[in-house]
Amino acid sequence: MKKTILSLLVLVTGLSGFAQNTSYWQQHVAYTMDVDMDVKSHEYTGTQKLVYTNNSPDALNKVYYHLYFNAFQPGSEMDRRLQSIADPDDRMMADGKSRISALQPDEIGYLHPTSLTQNGKPVSFSEEGTVLVVTLAEAIPPGGTATFDMVFKGQIPIQIRRSGRDSEEGVALSMSQWYPKLAEYDFEGWHADPYIAREFQGVWGDFDVKITIDKNYTVGGSGYLQNAQEIGHGYEAPGTKIKKQKGKTLTWHFKAPRVHDFMWAADPEYIHDTLQVENGPMLHFLYKDNAAIKENWKKLQPKTAEMMQFFSKNVGTYPYDQYSVIQGGDGGMEYAMATLITGERKFGSLVGVTAHEMAHSWFQHILASNEAKHEWMDEGFTSFISHLYMNEYMGEKKTNPFEGSYKGYNYLVKSGKEQPQTTHADRYAENMPYSIAAYSKGEIFLAQLGYIIGQENLMETLKKYFNDFKFKHPTPNDIKRTAEKVSGIELDWYLMDWTQTTNTIDYGITAVVADGEQTKVSLERIGLMPMPLDILVVYADDTQETFYAPLRMMRGEKENPYPNLTRTVVEDWPWAFPTYDFTIAKPLTAIKAIVIDPSQLMADVNLENNAWENK
Ligand SMILES: [Zn+2]
């Protein structure tokens, strides 16, 4: 008897230990970097002091850094991936060949630590492609802190993807993924993914960065400039004179608090404009002094203020005092407090790319789900809110602002190339199924969630999700649980089927027959994925009514999405039943048409069987 009690006690203690391990924690970094940039040779040298706090319950014997620029070398993993994928990114190809494979030694990118110490003692380190593996001199205990001092040298590659020198539009330096960046360690362990042109994940912390560069270059990027009065270049207080530094270079001093990355760009021909958002951040615009784009870039500025307010109102307040829109890179890419976009675009496209990249601030930057594992939570949610903005403010006014994504998703399903959204971003067979899964299917996750729980609940879910999980790397379960708490509807089935499988939705109307003075409607579930159904009935006199068949496993109901129409809630549809009947209390002759989901927010892969017409 005693023995039993004792073993029970052991068991209970063991369990509580397990519970502690699953409670939330995150690592912390504080970088101090001093970088010298040679704009002629495109080489740079730097020192980096990294204070790393291990808030995990684990002792760490190793740490990993990303050395992203090493990807831009012939024979790298990125190069081999480019050569072997069926649908390579056009930007990275020339004459059907990998541009990386053709790089000369003075055109490649590299990032090499030349010395590294931990608390003053040398540690052993080795480069494995784009990842630096560091075996620590002494383990960092749970709750412990280590200071890493590194000296590094780098070379900026010719612009091939995202970062690099001399972009197609003539921007001199697009400096993203440019410094040795500590990999994230979280409840899943290390995330030292090799860089093969896709997604990122970083540790939150504070960046203190000094960049010494040719004094003719204007610099923009993450972080607040600390010495604006010595720098000028449009950063000085309006109407004041700057204290000119002597010599051929300027040292720019930036501080970026509570970010997980630091990007910068520089060009000798940048125009630098600013615009203060009312009750919001200061916006900076840096773009080439090019007559062909100037007018669009001026018109972009009030639109950027408008979208900043739209996202702040609909998702949550933007928590920084600055945001910069910078011409650079090779398309559009989001970074902490800034974006790099190509600038030679029509006005609508310029606003569209800015809206998308700025919207990333909420999802990629501030929520920061692991983009490599849950790419749909970043690209998809970003697409959702930026399309809402474009629809409301750029005159698109579509009934379904997400229409294009539903079309894309349908295309993917029909292609037979769909992979579940749980696929690691690097491991899709081709780029197309990745893009549609991340952007379109990710956007539909939210749009369709609105169909399931109601539009008001959806927007409240988004706000609560942002508020509860900002700066916390949320996982898919977090958005699901938030929606459940807001709506009172159970959604595990939705998260699982939509994101972890390639099950599709297909409901159809099989028969509409007279049943005396009433009408019997027969429906079928053809697809494996369950859904609740909104059914619109149009009568011969053109009046309309809706019927709502909740899914039994939802254990709840949404509000009437068509408050101007009478809604009848019919019996729950249990998923395992392939067919379902309900009765309309009017004769068959009085019915003109019946439509499943008139909103088309439910991603039914076959719309042909969704409508019935009385002929
Ligand atoms: Zn994006």
Side-chain angles (χ1 to χ4, degrees):
M1 199 65 182
K2 261 187 181 172
K3 205 180 172 188
T4 314
I5 287 170
L6 194 67
S7 59
L8 259 178
L9 272 176
V10 171
L11 190 69
V12 168
T13 319
L15 278 176
S16 73
F18 177 75
Q20 272 169 10
N21 285 353
T22 57
S23 69
Y24 187 78
W25 49 267
Q26 69 175 240
Q27 307 296 71
H28 185 269
V29 287
Y31 290 96
T32 308
M33 290 191 273
D34 209 327
V35 190
D36 244 307
M37 176 61 60
D38 182 336
V39 297
K40 292 217 168 66
S41 69
H42 302 106
E43 291 166 315
Y44 57 103
T45 53
T47 58
Q48 181 191 72
K49 180 185 286 295
L50 168 60
V51 180
Y52 183 48
T53 308
N54 176 19
N55 293 315
S56 84
D58 313 315
L60 300 177
N61 298 304
K62 280 189 173 179
V63 298
Y64 300 87
Y65 289 74
H66 297 281
L67 305 172
Y68 292 113
F69 272 6
N70 290 349
F72 301 101
Q73 296 171 9
S76 70
E77 275 192 75
M78 191 190 275
D79 183 29
R80 296 299 296 271
R81 171 72 167 161
L82 198 54
Q83 293 182 34
S84 56
I85 198 164
D87 61 343
D89 187 328
D90 285 345
R91 291 170 287 201
M92 303 173 74
M93 303 293 282
D95 305 322
K97 285 205 179 108
S98 151
R99 288 177 59 209
I100 297 176
S101 70
L103 291 175
Q104 297 303 308
D106 63 344
E107 298 172 332
I108 63 166
Y110 62 74
L111 191 51
H112 300 310
T114 52
S115 76
L116 180 59
T117 62
Q118 174 192 2
N119 303 329
K121 291 178 204 148
V123 291
S124 74
F125 58 93
S126 63
E127 292 183 25
E128 294 181 0
T130 57
V131 173
L132 183 76
V133 180
V134 181
T135 306
L136 298 180
E138 50 199 57
I140 313 171
T145 290
T147 301
F148 295 104
D149 279 291
M150 185 191 283
V151 179
F152 62 91
K153 60 177 185 182
Q155 178 169 288
I156 312 165
I158 294 236
Q159 174 106 32
I160 291 195
R161 188 70 186 97
R162 298 196 176 102
S163 30
R165 71 205 207 213
D166 306 323
S167 77
E168 220 171 56
E169 297 184 348
V171 173
L173 307 177
S174 298
M175 298 295 287
S176 53
Q177 295 93 33
W178 61 277
Y179 60 93
K181 179 180 174 184
L182 196 78
E184 180 64 300
Y185 181 82
D186 64 14
F187 73 105
E188 293 175 315
W190 283 104
H191 297 285
D193 293 335
Y195 186 36
I196 62 169
R198 205 127 265 163
E199 304 291 335
F200 305 97
Q201 165 82 330
V203 192
W204 266 294
D206 304 315
F207 286 70
D208 183 315
V209 181
K210 284 187 181 136
I211 300 161
T212 301
I213 189 169
D214 183 314
K215 68 176 179 188
N216 294 316
Y217 281 60
T218 303
V219 179
S222 311
Y224 306 110
L225 186 61
Q226 301 297 302
N227 55 340
Q229 292 308 117
E230 290 172 22
I231 294 289
H233 285 271
Y235 285 94
E236 70 276 20
T240 60
K241 278 204 170 159
I242 58 157
K243 291 180 273 175
K244 276 196 180 153
Q245 286 184 357
K246 277 189 184 158
K248 290 181 177 165
T249 59
L250 282 176
T251 298
W252 300 61
H253 183 196
F254 292 98
K255 282 187 182 177
R258 214 178 187 191
V259 295
H260 53 70
D261 200 6
F262 188 98
M263 176 279 288
W264 60 282
D267 192 276
E269 292 169 2
Y270 271 148
I271 296 176
H272 177 200
D273 295 332
T274 57
L275 179 67
Q276 179 66 50
V277 180
E278 217 183 308
N279 301 316
M282 178 69 88
L283 300 177
H284 294 256
F285 299 86
L286 294 107
Y287 53 101
K288 294 285 285 189
D289 190 356
N290 167 358
I293 67 166
K294 260 189 201 170
E295 193 194 333
N296 278 349
W297 275 77
K298 294 283 181 202
K299 276 161 62 189
L300 174 67
Q301 298 173 19
K303 296 306 283 181
T304 308
E306 180 184 81
M307 60 184 82
M308 174 59 78
Q309 283 170 325
F310 181 86
F311 301 143
S312 283
K313 180 173 159 244
N314 286 288
V315 188
T317 307
Y318 179 76
Y320 301 89
D321 296 329
Q322 184 179 306
Y323 186 82
S324 303
V325 182
I326 304 169
Q327 187 181 4
D330 56 11
M333 184 65 195
E334 69 279 7
Y335 301 100
M337 304 168 69
T339 178
L340 282 180
I341 60 170
T342 47
E344 295 171 12
R345 296 164 176 267
K346 290 196 171 127
F347 184 61
S349 163
L350 190 63
V351 175
V353 72
T354 306
H356 179 91
E357 305 312 334
M358 182 197 275
H360 266 301
S361 295
W362 282 261
F363 301 102
Q364 182 268 350
H365 176 198
I366 301 164
L367 284 159
S369 300
N370 184 334
E371 296 170 55
K373 296 188 69 164
H374 316 301
E375 51 273 17
W376 58 277
M377 297 179 76
D378 175 28
E379 293 301 349
F381 295 7
T382 294
S383 300
F384 173 85
I385 200 71
S386 59
H387 282 150
L388 268 190
Y389 165 77
M390 293 299 281
N391 201 52
E392 266 184 53
Y393 287 89
M394 285 300 285
E396 296 188 350
K397 306 276 177 205
K398 292 178 199 153
T399 326
N400 179 355
F402 321 107
E403 202 180 23
S405 288
Y406 283 81
K407 281 188 187 146
Y409 166 66
N410 246 292
Y411 169 81
L412 173 62
V413 169
K414 301 221 157 72
S415 75
K417 291 179 175 178
E418 190 184 5
Q419 292 174 249
Q421 285 180 309
T422 44
T423 306
H424 190 286
D426 290 340
R427 239 97 66 215
Y428 282 83
E430 296 179 23
N431 285 318
M432 181 279 286
Y434 156 79
S435 299
I436 297 181
Y439 291 76
S440 309
K441 201 181 175 189
E443 172 170 331
I444 298 172
F445 177 90
L446 285 184
Q448 188 168 248
L449 181 63
Y451 168 75
I452 298 166
I453 66 174
Q455 296 307 321
E456 273 178 38
N457 280 340
L458 170 67
M459 296 316 284
E460 204 184 315
T461 295
L462 207 51
K463 279 187 200 153
K464 182 173 167 55
Y465 170 63
F466 180 77
N467 203 43
D468 290 354
F469 295 100
K470 58 189 171 189
F471 303 107
K472 283 186 181 162
H473 294 315
T475 65
N477 197 56
D478 296 323
I479 182 72
K480 180 203 76 178
R481 290 292 294 136
T482 306
E484 288 185 334
K485 286 172 190 172
V486 169
S487 68
I489 290 174
E490 291 182 19
L491 294 162
D492 204 47
W493 59 274
Y494 181 54
L495 182 71
M496 286 199 75
D497 275 65
W498 190 251
T499 70
Q500 301 173 20
T501 77
T502 55
N503 290 348
T504 53
I505 303 159
D506 184 11
Y507 283 89
I509 302 171
T510 50
V512 180
V513 294
D515 182 9
E517 282 306 287
Q518 300 189 322
T519 303
K520 193 176 98 179
V521 181
S522 299
L523 308 172
E524 65 175 334
R525 176 184 57 73
I526 302 153
L528 278 173
M529 177 154 179
M531 269 289 160
L533 296 188
D534 284 336
I535 303 144
L536 176 75
V537 179
V538 183
Y539 294 109
D541 62 3
D542 280 330
T543 57
Q544 301 182 348
E545 189 178 358
T546 67
F547 292 80
Y548 174 47
L551 180 69
R552 186 187 272 176
M553 64 178 112
M554 285 171 22
R555 317 278 173 215
E557 294 162 13
K558 70 173 166 184
E559 296 273 312
N560 181 2
Y562 306 101
N564 299 329
L565 302 180
T566 307
R567 179 178 81 164
T568 306
V569 180
V570 290
E571 252 184 81
D572 285 358
W573 186 337
W575 171 82
F577 295 9
T579 60
Y580 178 94
D581 296 336
F582 71 96
T583 302
I584 300 172
K586 287 199 181 174
L588 181 61
T589 50
I591 299 169
K592 197 195 233 174
I594 301 175
V595 182
I596 296 174
D597 178 30
S599 72
Q600 296 192 4
L601 289 169
M602 181 174 89
D604 194 311
V605 294
N606 177 16
L607 294 177
E608 289 196 348
N609 56 10
N610 285 29
W612 172 89
E613 240 184 302
N614 200 350
K615 285 176 186 158

